[in-house]
Amino acid sequence: MKFSFKNDYSEGCHPNILQALLRHNLDQQAGYGEDEYSLQAKELIKEKIKKSDSDIYFVSGGTQANLIVISSVLRPYQCAVSASTGHILNNETGAIEATGHKILSIEKEDGKLTAEDIIPVLESHKNVPHQVMPKLVYISNSTELGTIYTLKELEKLSAFCKENDLYLFMDGARMGHGLTSEISDLTLEKVAELTDVFYLGGTKNGALIGEAIVINNQELQPDFAFNIKQKGALLAKGRLLGIQFLELMKNDLYFELAKHANQQAMKIKNAMKERGVEFLSDTYTNQIFPILRNDLIQKLSEKFEFYVWKKIDENFSAIRLITSWNTEDEPVNDFIEILKSEL
C-alpha cells in the first residue's frame, strides 16, 4: 500500500481523542454544544488567547466555517477580498458565491495579502452604489501554499483593515502548523488580538472532525448562533466536537501535533535542498512544493501518493507534499532514500 503525502487528514484522530470519546460515551449531556466538554473546551481556548470576551463555536469543517462566517457578517451588497490562492476561491465549490457574496481576487504568488495589495481594490470600487462593497479580508495561516504571516505583517494588515472599516478573517485550517513553524514569531494570543474572526482547525491536526470559530469583534457576536443553526452546523450531539477540542487544548497537544508535522516536512525539504532541488515557494510548515524531474516524480509515485501541483516545463513539475501529526520516520526516510539515489 502506498504511503500518502496527499493531505494531513488521511488518518483518523489522535488516540487521546478516541479514548476520551469512548470514556465519555455513555455520559448523558445537554445537546447543541451545551455539554460540559464543549463549555470546558471553550474556556480553555479563551485562556490560551487571553480574551474572555471572545465567542467560540464548534463546527464540523473548514468550508462550513468559512461559509458561515462570511455569509453572516456581510450584508447582501458586500464582498470578500482574497488572495488568488485562497481556499474560498479554489476549493469550496462556489460556497461563498452561493450565499450571494462576490469574492474579489488578488494575484499573489506567495498566498499572502498586504495592505498595498488591497488598496487598488478599494480604489476601483468607489462607484457607489453600482459596485459591490469590499468589506471582509480573507487570509489563511498557514496559507494554501504553506507560507505564513509574521507578526509585523499581520499587525500592518490589521491596522489597515481597521483604518478602512474592513473585517479581517483568518482561515485557521492549518493554524497549528503556521504558529509552530520554526520561523514563526506569531502567537495565538496575537492572532486573537489582531483579527475580527479566526478559527482553529482540528480536522487537519489530530481531530476526527471539527473547527473552532473564534469571534473577537463584539459587534459580530450577537445572533451568530442563528447562522450556525440555519446553515445546518449546530450538531445535536455537540459533545462530539467539544470532547475533541478539550483533548487538543489540554497540555498544548494541538501545537505538539502541528510541530511534529512541520518537522517531518522539513526533513524532506532539507534533504532536497542539499541536492539542489528548487521549490515553488519557500515554506517552513507541513506543506512543501519541490520542483522535480518528471521521471523522478513517476518513480516516487510508485511508492507514495502526492499531488502534481503545477507543470513547470516538459521536463519538470512541482509536486505538493503534506505531512501530518501521524507521519512517522519510516516513510519520510524511504522517500529521502529514493531522492538520494536519483539526485
Side-chain angles (χ1 to χ4, degrees):
M1 184 175 176
K2 294 182 180 181
F3 184 84
S4 178
F5 286 113
K6 273 193 167 184
N7 54 56
D8 34 14
Y9 44 83
S10 295
E11 300 91 353
C13 65
H14 190 273
N16 286 15
I17 289 174
L18 211 54
Q19 291 164 12
L21 288 169
L22 182 61
R23 187 166 62 249
H24 300 299
N25 186 48
L26 297 180
D27 296 351
Q28 288 197 325
Q29 289 287 322
Y32 303 108
E34 295 301 318
D35 59 280
E36 63 180 85
Y37 318 113
S38 294
L39 298 178
Q40 289 175 24
K42 290 178 182 182
E43 289 305 311
L44 259 181
I45 293 173
K46 288 180 182 181
E47 287 178 18
K48 292 185 183 299
I49 65 175
K50 293 182 171 57
K51 280 184 69 70
S52 60
D53 58 354
S54 291
D55 277 357
I56 298 168
Y57 296 88
F58 299 124
V59 297
S60 65
T63 297
Q64 192 177 64
N66 289 333
L67 167 66
I68 293 170
V69 168
I70 294 175
S71 65
S72 66
V73 305
L74 294 185
R75 294 183 178 182
Y77 50 84
Q78 294 174 334
C79 68
V81 179
S82 168
S84 55
T85 54
H87 204 269
I88 59 173
L89 266 171
N90 300 303
N91 291 284
E92 295 187 355
T93 326
I96 307 305
E97 293 90 336
T99 66
H101 297 288
K102 188 173 184 177
I103 305 172
L104 300 177
S105 174
I106 298 174
E107 289 296 322
K108 292 292 293 186
E109 289 188 5
D110 64 357
K112 300 195 297 182
L113 290 181
T114 67
E116 290 73 22
D117 297 323
I118 302 169
I119 289 172
V121 173
L122 300 183
E123 291 294 327
S124 62
H125 285 77
K126 289 185 174 181
N127 190 15
V128 178
H130 305 286
Q131 293 176 291
V132 289
M133 177 195 294
K135 183 63 177 178
L136 179 144
V137 174
Y138 167 91
I139 61 174
S140 304
N141 195 57
S142 61
T143 70
E144 291 73 17
L145 295 180
T147 52
I148 63 171
Y149 285 85
T150 65
L151 174 58
K152 185 177 180 180
E153 288 170 339
L154 190 61
E155 285 176 335
K156 288 179 66 177
L157 185 57
S158 177
F160 175 83
C161 287
K162 286 181 172 63
E163 290 167 6
N164 290 276
D165 197 24
L166 300 168
Y167 299 131
L168 182 58
F169 171 40
M170 180 180 283
D171 178 327
R174 292 189 173 94
M175 180 73 78
H177 307 96
L179 296 182
T180 58
S181 167
E182 63 185 60
I183 65 167
S184 177
D185 63 350
L186 194 58
T187 64
L188 188 58
E189 183 181 347
K190 280 295 183 180
V191 168
E193 177 187 322
L194 298 170
T195 63
D196 293 288
V197 188
F198 73 91
Y199 70 88
L200 288 165
T203 304
K204 294 175 179 175
N205 194 34
L208 279 173
I209 58 171
E211 324 293 304
I213 299 172
V214 183
I215 307 176
N216 305 306
N217 185 334
Q218 293 185 42
E219 293 179 3
L220 304 178
Q221 293 175 355
D223 302 332
F224 191 84
F226 286 93
N227 297 287
I228 298 279
K229 177 64 176 181
Q230 189 179 69
K231 297 298 188 295
L234 186 60
L235 296 186
K237 295 185 180 180
R239 60 195 284 163
L240 173 63
L241 301 175
I243 288 172
Q244 293 185 79
F245 273 94
L246 185 56
E247 290 301 315
L248 287 173
M249 292 297 111
K250 283 181 182 176
N251 304 314
D252 286 334
L253 177 63
Y254 182 79
F255 298 103
E256 288 179 15
L257 298 182
K259 186 176 181 180
H260 171 79
N262 289 346
Q263 289 172 339
Q264 295 295 68
M266 290 304 98
K267 288 180 185 177
I268 299 174
K269 177 186 175 181
N270 292 334
M272 288 180 167
K273 286 183 69 176
E274 289 174 3
R275 285 157 183 80
V277 172
E278 295 184 353
F279 294 79
L280 203 60
S281 57
D282 191 21
T283 68
Y284 291 84
T285 59
N286 69 322
Q287 298 184 84
I288 57 175
F289 298 81
I291 299 171
L292 301 173
R293 300 191 319 266
N294 291 332
D295 63 311
L296 175 53
I297 292 173
Q298 183 60 40
K299 183 163 187 176
L300 288 166
S301 66
E302 293 173 5
K303 290 192 66 175
F304 304 95
E305 290 186 341
F306 46 80
Y307 284 110
V308 178
W309 194 254
K310 181 180 181 181
K311 182 179 178 181
I312 304 301
D313 55 37
E314 61 181 19
N315 297 314
F316 289 86
S317 298
I319 66 172
R320 184 184 73 171
L321 301 172
I322 300 182
T323 50
S324 83
W325 63 271
N326 197 38
T327 300
E328 298 181 349
D329 289 334
E330 184 177 353
V332 170
N333 293 337
D334 287 348
F335 192 93
I336 292 173
E337 284 304 312
I338 295 176
L339 289 172
K340 287 180 178 178
S341 69
E342 295 292 326
L343 294 175

